[in-house]
């Protein structure tokens, strides 16, 4: 996805969190190889607190947010404790609308559209 | 024939009666240490002394009883020559008495001074053990020899009168459990006292582990990364943290267990378990590290050690193009700060499971 969008105006933040029993920081380090773009910063949170923080902007209940992708256009700030609502998001969860299931081409197109504005 | 059997019997009984004490001395002089057999005979000592007395009494009776007339031949009674028998009997008696009373004069052969001498030269903590089961001062050398075999022990002195052993340790620790086991190997009992518990505390909570330690990990093909572990004692509890700079792991906590010379580190975030032993000089902790099914030797050296040498842990290969992973706090403050700093950009936030 990042490979196809060659602009420094796009920043990515990958928050790796322990959802499955086998998830750990070593796994996170290994997983960074699937997102080897210098524009992406990688974080490891040893708990699900951040995933829970992102429940509200996604309208997610019952489980922490994970395998979700939130798009924010320029100018939006994160004020307060809760993150801002994204202008667009995609996911791989059963609890969120199926229409927003991850499709990398759709997500890339959405990002291109936001960047073009 | 009967006379000779009586003499031999009294000497054997006397030797057995005294072997619990003279045995360790003899073994000590021979340099083969104490043997539990000697101390095991101690409870039988009163019976063996009785047997010695019986044999000697019988011997004196046979040596000095009036001769039977049957000794007269051809109407001439020749005085029997029992001089040799009597001389032997007296010599045997002297030997038996010497052996039986050995505990009261055995101090003259107290080898403990030799054993303790080495300890006096070295500074270090002292542990006092209470010993039970000793029947004489000669039991000490055997106990001392066993104690001196324990790693970290530089001196040992057993005092029969107070039934105590004073054990001097190197600056690093020797587990009191090992000291007790050494006493038991010598055939005696030892038990913990408050004094020893205090000594143990001073040994295990002292400074030996405090400070920064460094080791090298193999993390790829020919690629190494420095492991830095800081350990300290806070409120009587060992605490620590570690860094693996190449992987963005900094100030991660280490679970530390330190008992005697035994050191266990659990590097939670890196899933590395390390079981090692602190060297006597305290300059290194050497042991085995385990990480996700891999197991290899690892030596952590004190930072600044001139003799720093790398020994490698064959960790699973980490992808060479893996990116730096920053730790994130529960309130996501780092992410929030970065997100706002990048406000001029389009941003994609991804929350992901590594698996």
């Amino acid at each position: 996805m990042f490979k196809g969008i060659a602009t420094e105006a796009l920043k990515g933040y990958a928050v790796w969190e322990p959802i499955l029993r086998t998830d750990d920081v070593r796994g996170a380090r290994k997983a960074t190889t699937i997102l080897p773009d210098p524009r992406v910063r990688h974080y490891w949170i040893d708990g699900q607190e951040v995933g829970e923080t992102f429940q509200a902007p996604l309208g997610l209940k019952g489980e922490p947010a994970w395998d979700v992708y939130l798009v924010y256009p320029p100018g939006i700030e994160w004020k307060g404790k809760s993150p801002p609502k994204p202008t667009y998001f995609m996911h791989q969860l059963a609890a969120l609308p199926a229409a927003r299931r991850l499709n990398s081409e759709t997500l890339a197109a959405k990002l291109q559209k936001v960047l073009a504005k | 024939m009967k006379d000779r059997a009586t003499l031999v019997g009294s000497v054997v009984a006397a030797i057995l009666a005294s072997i619990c004490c003279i045995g360790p001395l003899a073994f000590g002089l021979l340099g083969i240490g104490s043997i539990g057999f000697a101390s095991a005979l101690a409870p039988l000592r009163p019976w063996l002394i009785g047997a010695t007395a019986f044999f000697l009494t019988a011997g004196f009776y046979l040596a000095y009883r009036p001769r039977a007339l049957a000794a007269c031949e051809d109407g001439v009674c020749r005085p029997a020559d029992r001089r040799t028998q009597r001389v032997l009997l007296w010599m045997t008696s002297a030997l038996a008495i010497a052996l039986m009373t050995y505990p009261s004069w055995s101090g003259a052969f107290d080898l403990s001074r030799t054993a303790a001498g080495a300890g006096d030269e070295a500074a270090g903590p002292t542990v006092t053990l209470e010993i039970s089961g000793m029947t004489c001062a000669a039991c000490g050398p055997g106990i001392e020899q066993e104690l001196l075999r324990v790693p970290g022990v530089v001196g040992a002195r057993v005092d029969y009168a107070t039934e105590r052993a004073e054990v001097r340790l190197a600056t690093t620790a020797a587990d009191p459990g090992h000291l007790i086991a050494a006493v038991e190997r010598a055939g005696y009992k030892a038990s913990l006292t408050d004094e020893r518990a205090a000594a143990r505390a001073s040994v295990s909570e002292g400074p030996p582990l405090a400070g920064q330690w460094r080791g090298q990990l193999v993390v790829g093909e020919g690629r190494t990364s420095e492991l830095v572990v800081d350990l300290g004692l806070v409120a009587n509890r060992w605490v620590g943290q570690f860094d693996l700079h190449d992987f963005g792991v900094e100030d991660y906590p280490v679970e530390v267990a330190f008992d005697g010379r035994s050191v266990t580190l659990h590097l939670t975030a890196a899933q590395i378990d390390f079981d090692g032993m602190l060297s006597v000089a305290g300059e290194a902790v050497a042991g085995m590290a385990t990480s996700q099914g891999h197991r290899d030797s690892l030596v952590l050296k004190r930072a600044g050690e001139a003799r720093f040498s790398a020994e490698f842990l064959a960790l699973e290969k980490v992808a060479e193009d893996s990116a730096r992973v920053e730790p994130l706090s529960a309130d996501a403050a780092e992410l929030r700060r970065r997100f706002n700093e990048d406000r001029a950009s389009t941003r994609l936030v991804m929350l992901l499971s590594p698996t």
Side-chain angles (χ1 to χ4, degrees):
Chain A
M1 193 184 330
F2 275 78
K3 209 178 278 183
I5 307 173
T7 172
E8 287 297 317
L10 177 63
K11 305 290 183 191
Y13 316 94
V15 178
W16 303 97
E17 54 184 339
I19 300 294
L20 306 177
R21 208 160 50 88
T22 51
D23 290 342
D24 54 46
V25 69
R26 286 177 61 81
R29 283 201 294 270
K30 277 192 241 175
T32 62
T33 57
I34 64 172
L35 280 166
D37 196 287
R39 293 169 293 176
V40 178
R41 299 186 77 90
H42 296 270
Y43 298 94
W44 165 255
I45 169 77
D46 194 17
Q48 298 184 341
E49 293 87 349
V50 176
E52 288 163 1
T53 304
F54 275 87
Q55 281 177 316
L58 290 169
L60 183 64
K61 289 176 183 172
E63 64 178 319
W66 64 288
D67 281 358
V68 293
Y69 309 82
L70 301 87
V71 178
Y72 294 91
I76 290 183
E77 281 192 55
W78 183 341
K79 295 171 183 171
K81 201 174 174 183
S82 184
K85 196 170 180 180
T87 57
Y88 188 78
F89 75 89
M90 296 201 90
H91 68 88
Q92 293 170 282
L93 299 175
L96 290 173
R100 293 290 181 91
R101 291 297 293 267
L102 178 66
N103 179 300
S104 58
E105 289 177 8
T106 306
L107 184 60
K110 189 69 183 176
L111 283 169
Q112 293 277 21
K113 198 174 169 183
V114 173
L115 283 163
K117 282 185 181 174
Chain B
M1 189 67 192
K2 192 162 53 177
D3 298 354
R4 191 174 300 166
T6 304
L7 287 173
V8 171
S10 63
V11 171
V12 169
I15 289 172
L16 289 174
S18 59
I19 200 166
C20 62
C21 297
I22 208 164
L25 172 67
F27 297 135
L29 289 171
L30 290 171
I32 57 176
S34 180
I35 294 177
F37 165 73
S39 58
L41 286 176
L44 300 176
R45 194 159 179 269
W47 294 98
L48 293 167
I49 288 173
T52 307
F54 171 79
F55 280 118
L56 288 176
T57 303
F60 275 100
Y61 170 74
L62 292 172
Y64 288 95
R65 68 178 173 172
R67 297 290 301 209
L69 290 176
C72 301
E73 292 175 0
D74 303 331
V76 179
C77 291
R78 287 189 291 271
D81 184 9
R82 293 194 285 184
R83 194 169 164 229
T84 305
Q85 181 190 356
R86 289 171 178 171
V87 167
L88 278 173
L89 180 62
W90 280 106
M91 287 173 64
T92 302
S93 300
L95 177 63
I97 290 167
L99 290 172
M100 283 191 295
T101 58
Y102 174 72
S104 60
W105 52 268
S106 59
F109 296 94
D110 187 358
L111 297 183
S112 63
R113 291 187 185 94
T114 309
D120 292 342
E121 294 166 9
T126 300
V127 173
T128 306
L129 297 173
E130 260 180 27
I131 313 288
S132 61
M134 290 193 294
T135 53
C136 61
C139 301
I143 298 172
E144 286 161 357
Q145 288 193 12
E146 286 294 345
L147 286 169
L148 287 167
R149 289 196 177 103
V150 178
V153 172
V154 294
R157 182 195 296 275
V158 174
D159 189 333
Y160 170 62
T162 61
E163 294 188 317
R164 288 192 168 205
E166 202 172 273
V167 185
R168 191 171 293 280
L169 309 176
T171 50
T172 52
D175 187 341
H178 294 170
L179 303 179
I180 291 169
V183 174
E184 289 176 353
R185 276 199 302 277
Y188 306 91
K189 299 279 183 193
S191 60
L192 284 173
T193 65
D194 291 344
E195 197 175 317
R196 271 175 274 147
R200 178 179 183 149
S202 71
V203 167
S204 61
E205 295 176 1
L209 266 193
Q212 192 178 79
W213 301 78
R214 290 169 184 268
Q216 296 270 335
L217 302 181
V218 171
V219 292
E221 292 167 4
R223 185 175 167 215
T224 63
S225 179
E226 189 175 44
L227 171 68
V228 181
V229 182
D230 282 298
L231 298 176
L233 189 65
V234 176
N236 292 327
R237 197 169 68 86
W238 283 100
V239 294
Q241 59 184 36
F242 79 95
D243 300 335
L244 261 172
H245 294 297
D246 293 352
F247 296 92
V249 174
E250 291 176 13
D251 301 338
Y252 271 61
V254 181
E255 292 172 18
V256 188
F258 177 45
D259 185 11
R261 292 170 56 230
S262 172
V263 180
T264 302
L265 304 178
H266 181 49
L267 284 59
T268 316
Q271 291 197 338
I272 297 173
D273 292 305
F274 174 57
D275 293 304
M277 291 291 285
L278 186 66
S279 64
V280 172
E283 86 287 3
V285 182
M288 299 299 290
T290 307
S291 177
Q292 296 189 339
H294 295 260
R295 185 170 162 82
D296 212 335
S297 64
L298 171 66
V299 176
L300 291 174
K301 298 265 187 178
R302 277 197 192 279
E305 263 294 313
R307 291 176 285 113
F308 181 91
S309 64
E311 291 192 25
F312 300 125
L313 167 65
L315 280 178
E316 171 181 2
K317 182 186 175 186
V318 175
E320 290 177 14
D321 52 358
S322 62
R324 177 187 172 92
V325 177
E326 300 172 36
L328 194 58
S329 56
D331 63 359
E334 302 83 355
L335 176 62
R336 188 165 62 234
R337 182 178 56 78
R338 180 61 63 179
F339 182 91
N340 290 334
E341 281 178 10
D342 294 337
R343 69 174 66 84
S345 303
T346 295
R347 289 149 292 173
L348 177 64
V349 177
M350 298 164 280
L351 277 73
L352 303 162
S353 159
T355 304

